[in-house]
Amino acid sequence: MSQTVRTRIAPSPTGDPHVGTAYIALFNMCFARQHQGKFVLRIEDTDQARSTPESEKQILDALRWLGLDWDEGPDVGGEYGPYRQSERKSDYKAYAERLVEQGDAYYCFRTPEELDLIREERKAAGLNPGIKGDLELAASEVSNKLAAGVPYVIRMKVPDDGVCVIDDLLRGRIEIDWSQVDCQILLKSDGMPTYHLANVVDDHLMKITHVIRGEEWINSAPKHQLLYQYFDWDMPQLCHMPLLRNPDKSKLSKRKNPTSVTYYERMGFMPEAVVNYLGRMGWSMPDESEKFSLDSMIKNFDLSRVSLGGPIFDVEKLSWLNGLWIREDLSDEQFVQRVQEWSFNHESFSPLVEHVKGRVETFSDIAPLTSFMFAGMLPLTEESFAGSKLDSDILKRVLQFTLWRLEAQRHWTKENIFADVKAISKVMDIKMGDFMQPIFVSIAGTPNSWSVMDSMALLGPDMTRARLRFALNVLGGFSKKEAKRVDKEFNAMQAKIAD
Ligand code: GLU
């Protein structure tokens, strides 16, 4: 009997639910369903400093909103749990130690500074600066250091030279020189596994048969393949999907495009349309139809129809498709219901009450006061910013610096947003009121709104950034030459803020 197909999505809960995660989840799910297999969700939270429970919840909510349901996962359980790596951490160390015993891995006591120095020296001598097995110490030295409690990591051994051949379901044979591959750390000095060890161990223990993931992981494949060999385990079939790209062909990034699924939900896209659009990223229906449901994608799924040319994620095309879904698939009754569920409901209205109740005399005052909270991009023109006391150059910098600073903000709270804005206004030496004026206009469409900090916190990072970006465009943005200067100024400002 042939093996049950088991695929997985393995997100790291370190940020917003990325459309790229949803895209890979969709293809894993379709492949599993096509083969009457199972689709697993595993949370890869071994990077404890960057992982947060809020991000995990958002990722689960976003995938569920899209209807990409999993058969096993941290919230639904399953035979091979726990499905959160932080709950499996005691297991990984033993696997790393097993490789040391077998002679396939070694203890490394070098500090990061020492390793930097080694790399530098090797580079200067014209040698490969990679970290290789020659750093392994004699057994007696290792025992002494272990006994003395010197901190260590465990590294896997990799060949110094030769070629590693990976067999990829979509790409066929991929060759990577071993000289390009470092002796990867498997176990960190805090006893936590790295992605590579935990990922391979869990894929094995969870009986994953097909690893369908983004192309950015191809360079990890040699290490993973070697680990499977060291452990003497069967390796799942690898399949690296093409990366999503911005319309200018660069890798899809939040600097250029809203990348969070939550943003598309808030903008009022239908999940069916988002899934449909993601399904068209590098894939097409046999009849080339542009509009199709998840069910029909599953029915017609065939991995060999994936094309490798970088698929472009274009918000305008997605909007067009969403319009089709709204017009063709929702009855008037369903339309009313969807709109109610989307935003005009208890959950999304409650947080606005404290800001609005004290400012209205009649209920009819509510709509103009709150409409920006339910809108996408606002109808701004250069005129909208005419009330600012700042020179146009300074004004644009206020928006640009705020946008960049907020792009790096990982904990989206009113307090943190406030701290970011305040820090920039201080370095730019602009009074808070003058500094905030154009931000009010960008976010709320008017300088006289209620707390813009609260608005930004409620609107979420992607919508806030999208509006700031849009405002900058309305004001003409920066020329290429200016942009370089502004970038430098921002770096200098970041350094000042960090002081
Ligand atoms: N945790 C990895 C990620 O964040 C998983 C990569 C993989 O699928 O192997 O995407």
Side-chain angles (χ1 to χ4, degrees):
M1 199 186 82
S2 66
Q3 229 179 350
T4 308
V5 165
R6 291 175 59 83
T7 63
R8 62 16 172 220
I9 182 77
S12 301
T14 54
D16 293 333
H18 201 281
V19 283
T21 304
Y23 157 67
I24 298 294
L26 170 64
F27 280 78
N28 273 286
M29 181 199 190
C30 286
F31 188 80
R33 299 273 176 273
Q34 179 204 2
H35 293 94
Q36 287 80 47
K38 298 275 185 226
F39 171 50
V40 177
L41 185 141
R42 178 174 74 231
I43 292 292
E44 301 211 325
D45 56 351
T46 54
D47 184 346
Q48 300 260 274
R50 295 181 61 230
S51 300
T52 64
E54 298 82 42
S55 164
E56 178 185 314
K57 181 174 180 314
Q58 280 184 350
I59 293 172
L60 265 60
D61 287 350
L63 294 178
R64 233 186 254 300
W65 175 68
L66 291 170
L68 304 176
D69 294 332
W70 44 97
D71 303 298
E72 298 167 28
D75 54 341
V76 293
E79 228 181 302
Y80 303 97
Y83 292 90
R84 207 176 269 121
Q85 288 186 327
S86 56
E87 291 167 24
R88 307 167 67 86
K89 64 180 169 210
S90 51
D91 295 354
Y92 303 116
K93 191 162 183 248
Y95 283 103
E97 285 167 351
R98 172 170 147 194
L99 294 187
V100 176
E101 271 160 41
Q102 288 176 198
D104 295 324
Y106 64 92
Y107 290 100
C108 177
F109 300 90
R110 310 271 182 169
T111 62
E113 294 76 32
E114 284 172 339
L115 290 170
D116 283 345
L117 210 65
I118 293 174
R119 283 185 209 273
E120 289 295 314
E121 280 169 7
R122 289 188 181 173
K123 235 193 240 163
L127 300 169
N128 179 347
I131 300 304
K132 291 291 194 177
D134 55 353
L135 294 187
E136 187 178 5
L137 301 175
S140 58
E141 229 179 308
V142 170
S143 337
N144 286 343
K145 285 197 190 281
L146 288 179
V150 179
Y152 65 84
V153 300
I154 293 182
R155 288 180 184 276
M156 70 185 288
K157 292 187 189 170
V158 299
D160 287 337
D161 42 39
V163 174
C164 172
V165 178
I166 302 289
D167 181 25
D168 184 278
L169 265 178
L170 284 176
R171 294 156 201 266
R173 193 182 151 95
I174 303 175
E175 296 188 359
I176 298 176
D177 284 342
W178 278 118
S179 62
Q180 303 300 315
V181 183
D182 265 9
C183 281
Q184 174 64 48
I185 297 181
L186 298 177
L187 199 75
K188 296 182 272 189
S189 53
D190 60 1
M192 286 297 271
T194 54
Y195 152 72
H196 304 278
L197 177 67
N199 187 271
V200 164
V201 166
D202 286 344
D203 279 346
H204 170 71
L205 295 178
M206 294 182 180
K207 299 204 163 33
I208 300 302
T209 57
H210 296 77
V211 167
I212 303 172
R213 62 184 172 195
E215 146 185 15
E216 71 269 34
W217 300 102
I218 289 182
N219 285 336
S220 301
K223 299 170 195 170
H224 296 185
Q225 181 160 291
L226 193 56
L227 284 174
Y228 282 101
Q229 283 166 16
Y230 286 160
F231 284 122
D232 200 14
W233 293 338
D234 286 338
M235 170 146 148
Q237 284 263 15
L238 296 185
C239 171
H240 292 95
M241 296 287 294
L243 278 187
L244 300 185
R245 301 193 173 269
N246 295 312
D248 68 4
K249 301 252 165 80
S250 57
K251 181 181 159 200
L252 188 69
S253 70
K254 65 180 176 191
R255 270 203 150 191
K256 300 206 169 143
N257 252 314
T259 51
S260 150
V261 176
T262 319
Y263 167 87
Y264 293 94
E265 184 178 357
R266 178 181 287 277
M267 278 294 276
F269 282 88
M270 284 173 64
E272 292 91 334
V274 178
V275 166
N276 180 175
Y277 192 58
L278 290 175
R280 289 181 47 199
M281 296 289 104
W283 191 81
S284 57
M285 285 289 253
D287 64 359
E288 303 284 336
S289 54
E290 295 195 283
K291 182 161 163 276
F292 50 83
S293 67
L294 178 57
D295 277 348
S296 55
M297 177 165 174
I298 292 169
K299 269 194 206 104
N300 291 284
F301 193 68
D302 179 358
L303 204 57
S304 67
R305 293 190 61 82
V306 170
S307 77
L308 292 176
I312 305 280
F313 187 88
D314 182 344
V315 183
E316 275 180 32
K317 290 228 170 86
L318 170 57
S319 302
W320 167 82
L321 186 63
N322 199 63
L324 273 191
W325 271 91
I326 290 185
R327 288 191 294 278
E328 294 178 2
D329 285 77
L330 296 182
S331 66
D332 291 356
E333 193 47 46
Q334 285 166 326
F335 182 80
V336 172
Q337 197 190 335
R338 287 283 183 119
V339 174
Q340 262 173 356
E341 281 167 11
W342 167 63
S343 246
F344 298 118
N345 58 35
H346 190 263
E347 202 186 324
S348 55
F349 216 77
S350 303
L352 306 183
V353 176
E354 62 169 307
H355 306 293
V356 173
K357 204 169 143 198
R359 295 169 184 255
V360 299
E361 290 176 341
T362 60
F363 296 149
S364 57
D365 293 334
I366 296 171
L369 260 186
T370 58
S371 63
F372 73 94
M373 293 302 291
F374 300 96
M377 293 315 116
L378 306 172
L380 298 179
T381 61
E382 256 180 276
E383 261 311 289
S384 318
F385 295 88
S388 170
K389 291 198 183 134
L390 308 174
D391 278 357
S392 124
D393 268 1
I394 304 285
L395 194 155
K396 283 195 276 182
R397 279 169 171 74
V398 164
L399 297 178
Q400 181 67 82
F401 294 159
T402 304
L403 171 60
W404 281 340
R405 183 89 190 164
L406 291 180
E407 268 167 6
Q409 181 52 260
R410 295 196 44 248
H411 297 284
W412 195 259
T413 61
K414 180 182 164 185
E415 290 70 28
N416 288 347
I417 300 169
F418 182 68
D420 277 339
V421 169
K422 201 165 163 209
I424 305 172
S425 70
K426 205 169 148 210
V427 177
M428 289 183 82
D429 198 19
I430 300 176
K431 273 201 250 126
M432 204 47 178
D434 297 341
F435 187 93
M436 290 310 293
Q437 201 271 2
I439 299 195
F440 263 94
V441 174
S442 310
I443 299 298
T446 149
N448 309 316
S449 169
W450 40 276
S451 158
V452 76
M453 299 296 167
D454 282 295
S455 314
M456 291 196 272
L458 288 168
L459 284 168
D462 263 359
M463 182 65 88
T464 301
R465 290 190 294 247
R467 287 203 188 158
L468 290 171
R469 214 178 286 130
F470 180 70
L472 265 167
N473 284 342
V474 165
L475 292 169
F478 296 103
S479 69
K480 259 208 175 127
K481 213 165 123 206
E482 270 179 308
K484 264 200 186 143
R485 192 168 347 120
V486 175
D487 205 47
K488 267 200 197 133
E489 287 173 21
F490 180 66
N491 289 336
M493 161 179 296
Q494 291 280 72
K496 270 198 195 151
I497 294 176
D499 267 356

